[in-house]
Amino acid sequence: MLTSLEILCVLPLGLLQNRISEIMTTELERTKPWEILSQYLTSGDANYVKEYISDLSSEELTSLISHLSDENRKTLLTMLDPQDAVELIEEIPYVQAAQIMEDLETTEAAAIINEMRSDDQADFLAEFDTKDTEAIITEMMPEKAENVRKLITYAQNTAGGLMITEFLSFEESSTVGEVADHLRENADKYERYNVQYIYVTSNNKFVGVLRVRDLVLTRPDVPMSRIVIRNALTVKDTATLEELIRFFNTHDFYGVPVMKDEDELVGVVLRKHILAEEAELANKELLETQGIVGGEELRTMPTLLRSRRRLSWLSVNILLNIAAASVIAFYQDILSSVIALAVFLPIISDMSGCSGNQAVAVSLRELSLGVVKPFEVLRVLLQEFRVGLINGLILGLLIGAAAWIWKGNVYLGMVVGGALMINTVVAVSIGGTIPLILKRFSMDPALASGPILTTITDMLGFFLALTFASASLSYIS
């Protein structure tokens, strides 16, 4: 038998090269991507690192960085030039990028933040404490430092906090030719701008908007004042995220100018950024309904931080569950007499809870979109009551029929069916209104609605089933 080495020795040169290439490829595939990158980082060759990560998708990059050590993550960002580091940061989840940025030295962080869009600069600086933020801004380029100082004064979920300051603005007295020449001469500067519109001003006061296509199709000697679209829609710098979502749902615009006071143009909010914020808000609300407090969680985050975020919800929830269980303890004699009820109690509480959580989800969504206001509790209550009544009746009949068929006792079916029907009506009605009530009192509806609803549906479901059983004990025991 020839060994692998002997076989390689007798192969023709071309086949030998192919075989060696196959062996190397197989070995590379066996090596995990983060191990390969770690080797490149250890070698200190930035070109190898850049070339390797450039072929990876966003999903692959996220997975790869999650498996790197803290030191290697830091090395990765500092080994790349700042522009490449920004492109990498844009490909991975924000929470993961922020975690890495916090570990960088002040000068390293400043160099990378210098290359970011203005809205991203403000977002990342908001992650640092005041002392570190000031130190980083001091290291930034003077023009960008001055700009970011203005941006960080805005709340993050306002037009001022979400806007970009990289936009094209020209005086209305300029001619089309002058503007076109300026754009060509400064092409490098405007390379990363979203060049869809030009914003026209007069003595630094906002006049209107001009589409770039109109600029291209107009004679060079025509003044901007002749072709500008006046009375353009704008938003205030204090506009909330909910107001911006409604604006872009109503108007199919690429972006909207942001005004300070009456006529001072300070930035532009882009539709794509609002869509991203809307998706992030929905994700945050989903996490909070599942008891993940404090925003997105990744397993690369510190263990104690992740534990604390979860326990803040779980510790409250266990107290609420004890309160619900006390109802069963009170009726333990009834339960011991009708053992079959033990099978249906969790079904009653679970199905009612699911129905209520559907109503919670709809209310949270409508609150985030501004479709419903906290003071509209009665309107929402009536709408959800009707849905709860229909669903409760159908679910009650189904579980009642199941109990009747199983035990051959129609009264047992009436007990569990009636309990589920009433509990579903209550759960849906409360589930739709709790978020509005909590919002009215400035509490987080996404976080608090779930535990409150679960406790109510459990206690009421157990109470109804066991009370009905107690009233008809002679018929079902």
Side-chain angles (χ1 to χ4, degrees):
M1 293 287 292
L2 292 174
T3 65
S4 298
L5 181 59
E6 289 169 333
I7 291 173
L8 289 176
C9 290
V10 298
L11 284 175
L13 181 59
L15 291 176
L16 177 62
Q17 289 174 333
N18 289 339
R19 183 57 183 154
I20 292 173
S21 176
E22 289 174 8
I23 292 172
M24 291 179 67
T25 301
T26 303
E27 288 301 316
L28 220 79
E29 289 173 350
R30 288 178 187 167
T31 307
K32 296 179 175 64
W34 50 90
E35 292 175 351
I36 296 172
L37 183 57
S38 295
Q39 292 171 9
Y40 287 154
L41 291 171
T42 303
S43 72
D45 193 319
N47 290 328
Y48 275 135
V49 171
K50 181 179 178 180
E51 185 178 348
Y52 183 70
I53 65 174
S54 65
D55 294 329
L56 302 177
S57 65
S58 297
E59 184 179 340
E60 290 170 329
L61 275 173
T62 301
S63 173
L64 181 149
I65 290 174
S66 296
H67 286 84
L68 291 178
S69 65
D70 291 342
E71 190 59 35
N72 273 341
R73 289 193 201 113
K74 179 179 175 181
T75 303
L76 174 60
L77 275 195
T78 53
M79 187 175 287
L80 298 171
D81 64 57
Q83 183 60 58
D84 290 331
V86 170
E87 291 177 4
L88 171 63
I89 285 171
E90 290 173 348
E91 293 293 329
I92 62 178
Y94 172 78
V95 65
Q96 192 177 49
Q99 185 182 347
I100 302 171
M101 289 289 290
E102 287 178 352
D103 294 334
L104 298 180
E105 299 296 330
T106 301
T107 52
E108 295 167 342
I112 294 172
I113 291 176
N114 262 329
E115 300 299 324
M116 292 180 177
R117 292 193 317 261
S118 53
D119 58 327
D120 287 338
Q121 289 176 340
D123 288 343
F124 276 100
L125 286 172
E127 298 295 326
F128 298 95
D129 59 42
T130 306
K131 183 179 178 181
D132 290 338
T133 297
E134 185 57 38
I136 291 171
I137 293 175
T138 302
E139 293 287 338
M140 291 175 65
M141 296 167 59
E143 182 182 349
K144 295 191 175 184
E146 181 182 357
N147 184 56
V148 82
R149 284 186 197 278
K150 296 176 184 176
L151 290 177
I152 61 177
T153 61
Y154 290 105
Q156 281 186 282
N157 282 343
T158 63
L162 296 167
M163 69 185 181
I164 59 171
T165 55
E166 297 87 358
F167 59 90
L168 301 175
S169 176
F170 295 92
E171 284 284 314
E172 67 171 342
S173 58
S174 304
T175 64
V176 168
E178 290 170 345
V179 172
D181 289 341
H182 176 85
L183 293 175
R184 280 192 294 271
E185 291 167 5
N186 296 273
D188 292 341
K189 176 182 177 182
Y190 300 131
E191 184 179 3
R192 300 192 72 207
Y193 278 39
N194 292 286
V195 185
Q196 297 288 329
Y197 298 98
I198 292 173
Y199 300 94
V200 182
T201 59
S202 176
N203 297 321
N204 294 321
K205 294 183 178 181
F206 181 70
V207 173
V209 179
L210 174 65
R211 294 173 298 184
V212 171
R213 67 181 297 273
D214 292 336
L215 180 81
V216 174
L217 298 175
T218 303
R219 295 194 317 273
D221 60 329
V222 175
M224 299 283 280
S225 58
R226 290 262 302 276
I227 57 174
V228 64
I229 302 171
R230 300 178 186 273
N231 301 319
L233 293 177
T234 63
V235 295
K236 294 283 291 181
D237 58 348
T238 54
T240 63
L241 176 59
E242 290 78 10
E243 291 171 336
L244 293 169
I245 291 172
R246 287 201 300 275
F247 179 91
F248 282 108
N249 283 339
T250 305
H251 306 287
D252 188 21
F253 291 165
Y254 181 81
V256 60
V258 180
M259 312 300 292
K260 184 177 181 180
D261 300 325
E262 288 297 322
D263 50 15
E264 182 185 353
L265 176 64
V266 290
V268 176
V269 171
L270 300 180
R271 169 187 287 275
K272 64 179 183 179
H273 292 165
I274 298 305
L275 292 177
E277 289 293 327
E278 185 180 8
E280 186 177 334
L281 179 63
N283 182 54
K284 180 184 176 184
E285 289 175 346
L286 174 63
L287 289 171
E288 288 182 342
T289 59
Q290 302 303 311
I292 306 296
V293 185
E296 189 173 359
E297 178 183 317
L298 295 177
R299 291 187 175 90
T300 54
M301 299 169 73
T303 302
L304 289 177
L305 173 62
R306 294 173 57 218
S307 174
R308 186 172 70 248
R309 284 181 170 187
R310 296 188 187 189
L311 279 174
S312 62
W313 185 83
L314 293 172
S315 55
V316 173
N317 218 30
I318 195 170
L319 296 175
L320 296 176
N321 276 287
I322 290 172
S326 64
V327 176
I328 296 177
F330 184 78
Y331 282 97
Q332 58 183 328
D333 293 337
I334 300 297
L335 194 58
S336 62
S337 301
V338 189
I339 300 299
L341 274 178
V343 175
F344 292 100
L345 287 181
I347 299 176
I348 293 170
S349 64
D350 182 65
M351 290 303 301
S352 304
C354 289
S355 299
N357 280 322
Q358 289 175 331
V360 168
V362 173
S363 289
L364 288 175
R365 182 62 176 160
E366 289 193 340
L367 280 171
S368 68
L369 293 174
V371 175
V372 68
K373 298 294 183 183
F375 62 81
E376 298 180 277
V377 173
L378 286 179
R379 180 175 71 85
V380 171
L381 177 63
L382 290 173
Q383 290 175 331
E384 291 299 336
F385 178 82
R386 290 196 292 265
V387 174
L389 191 60
I390 295 170
N391 289 359
L393 181 62
I394 293 171
L395 292 174
L397 288 172
L398 288 173
I399 195 173
W404 180 17
I405 293 169
W406 179 41
K407 287 295 183 181
N409 189 319
V410 68
Y411 295 103
L412 177 64
M414 292 172 63
V415 166
V416 297
L420 178 58
M421 184 190 74
I422 297 172
N423 205 30
T424 298
V425 174
V426 174
V428 173
S429 302
I430 292 177
T433 54
I434 281 180
L436 278 70
I437 295 169
L438 293 173
K439 186 76 172 180
R440 175 68 180 82
F441 290 99
S442 302
M443 297 174 68
D444 188 347
L447 182 59
S449 298
I452 293 173
L453 177 67
T454 300
T455 304
I456 292 173
T457 54
D458 285 356
M459 292 181 69
L460 184 62
F462 298 156
F463 174 78
L464 289 170
L466 292 168
T467 300
F468 291 167
S470 176
S472 56
L473 188 60
S474 58
Y475 298 100
I476 63 176
S477 57

